[in-house]
Amino acid sequence: MDGTAIIIILAIAGVASVLLFALKGLLDQVPDVIESASKARDAWGSFRKPPAVPPAQQDQEPPAAA
């Protein structure tokens, strides 16, 4: 009976250790995921915006056709 209790305790500790290791691995990836999402949002916003025209070009007339 004593041997079984020790095995059960070691098994529970091993499972807890593996779960904590996996959780740490997932949590280490969160900042990278947030940074990637931010870059994707910025890229999408710049894709949807019309291109800015410099003020010097707004005053000029287009060239005449020859």
Side-chain angles (χ1 to χ4, degrees), residues 40-66:
R41 185 186 62 229
D42 293 343
W44 180 254
S46 66
F47 173 73
R48 303 266 305 167
K49 256 192 261 179
V53 178
Q57 291 180 357
Q58 289 177 349
D59 298 336
Q60 296 176 355
E61 293 184 17

Side-chain angles (χ1 to χ4, degrees), residues 15-66:
V15 169
S17 165
V18 169
L19 288 176
L20 287 174
F21 185 74
L23 181 63
K24 181 190 179 303
L26 287 174
L27 291 177
D28 285 345
Q29 294 176 3
V30 169
D32 294 333
V33 170
I34 292 172
E35 182 180 345
S36 295
S38 175
K39 286 181 182 179
R41 185 186 62 229
D42 293 343
W44 180 254
S46 66
F47 173 73
R48 303 266 305 167
K49 256 192 261 179
V53 178
Q57 291 180 357
Q58 289 177 349
D59 298 336
Q60 296 176 355
E61 293 184 17

